[in-house]
Amino acid sequence: MNNTEIPIETISYLRRLADKYEISCFCDDDPSCILSKYKSAADTETAAFIMSVLSFGRRDLFMKKAAGIFSLTNCHPAQWIRSCAWEKQFPQGNRKFYRFYSYDDMRSVFASLQKILSEEKTVGAFIRRRYETACAETGCSHIELAPVVSGAFSGCRAVSHTAQSANKRVNMFLRWMVRTNSPVDSGLWTWYSPADLIIPLDTHVLRQAVKLGLISAKSAGTAKTARELTNALKQIWPADPCRGDFALFGLGIDGNGK
């Protein structure tokens, strides 16, 4: 683990970047735009999870694919899932839907969401129940939430289940759901602490974190690295390390200019 103290200049720089980029217009061309499109928690959570599953590769392409799905839902994605309307409207088959995911891979996600929404009113209520059960079984006051979410989608190839994976898309979904008082993230899941989130680690965030010396130059895109970077960012934001996601995104845009 990287226990190096972050220089004060770097701390100040990252704080400035977070202030600059965590603003409402950040959502304009970002997948987080889905958070403001629906009024109910059930619709927001359902749409956000679908968006997060597709959020890799070229942004314009995956957002177009997500928009195609949402166009079928008549502005009520939770009801679309719950009613199983997707079974008739979203074609079956192993032909490619997006990148290496097929139509059947996406239908597997929808089927898991349907099971979740048949048991609880919202995705959040279902995950909270599973989380509290897992805490009770382990005797821990809190545990990482991403494996709980992934476990709710057992058998879905489009959701990571590998313990070594950084699980970027699920952690991004959790950032959207958990962080409060944000002009970007929804803060719907107030029962989980932002202090316990893990940063969504992708190649871009990894590259910028290495440049700043937040993690080792030999770091790979793994769960271990995501935890190490999260712990480093807790030196700056102890109660909200995922605020660093906006700062590192900003660093990628601003380059090395301080």
Side-chain angles (χ1 to χ4, degrees), residues 3 14 26 39 96 106 120 145 164 175 195 212 235 247:
N3 292 314
L14 289 173
F26 175 90
K39 294 182 179 180
K96 183 174 73 171
M106 296 307 300
E120 297 284 356
L145 193 50
Q164 291 76 30
R175 196 205 82 195
L212 282 176
Q235 293 185 44

Side-chain angles (χ1 to χ4, degrees), residues 43-58:
D43 285 332
T44 300
E45 293 170 3
T46 302
F49 190 81
I50 294 169
M51 178 68 86
S52 71
V53 164
L54 292 169
S55 292
F56 65 102
R58 277 182 50 182

Side-chain angles (χ1 to χ4, degrees), residues 95-231:
R95 64 191 179 93
K96 183 174 73 171
F97 176 70
Y98 175 65
R99 298 287 290 269
F100 41 80
Y101 292 150
S102 68
Y103 279 83
D104 280 352
D105 288 329
M106 296 307 300
R107 285 170 62 91
S108 178
V109 172
F110 301 156
S112 291
L113 283 169
Q114 191 278 327
K115 181 178 184 299
I116 287 169
L117 292 174
S118 70
E119 294 186 25
E120 297 284 356
K121 291 182 178 180
T122 65
V123 174
F126 182 89
I127 298 300
R128 181 177 185 176
R129 174 162 58 84
R130 286 178 64 98
Y131 172 75
E132 291 174 348
T133 298
C135 286
E137 289 175 349
T138 60
C140 298
S141 59
H142 66 273
I143 58 175
E144 287 185 14
L145 193 50
V148 179
V149 174
S150 293
F153 291 85
S154 177
C156 293
R157 199 168 72 93
V159 180
S160 175
H161 298 91
T162 306
Q164 291 76 30
S165 169
N167 211 350
K168 178 256 181 177
R169 286 170 289 155
V170 168
N171 281 316
M172 180 181 69
F173 170 73
L174 291 175
R175 196 205 82 195
W176 292 348
M177 294 296 104
V178 172
R179 291 188 68 249
T180 56
N181 302 314
S182 171
V184 177
D185 300 326
S186 72
L188 287 171
W189 295 7
T190 56
W191 48 270
Y192 194 79
S193 172
D196 296 325
L197 290 173
I198 302 296
I199 192 165
L201 181 69
D202 60 16
T203 55
H204 305 292
V205 169
L206 177 66
R207 187 181 305 121
Q208 302 307 331
V210 167
K211 282 183 179 180
L212 282 176
L214 300 175
I215 53 178
S216 166
K218 297 181 180 179
S219 298
T222 63
K224 178 182 177 183
T225 299
R227 294 186 189 103
E228 288 179 354
L229 178 54
T230 301
N231 287 332

Side-chain angles (χ1 to χ4, degrees), residues 5-30:
E5 186 173 347
I6 302 174
I8 188 64
E9 296 84 1
T10 302
I11 290 175
S12 297
Y13 180 40
L14 289 173
R15 283 176 174 161
R16 291 200 306 272
L17 286 171
D19 288 343
K20 179 177 180 180
Y21 287 100
E22 192 182 4
I23 55 178
S24 57
C25 65
F26 175 90
C27 302
D28 290 349
D29 60 351
D30 186 78

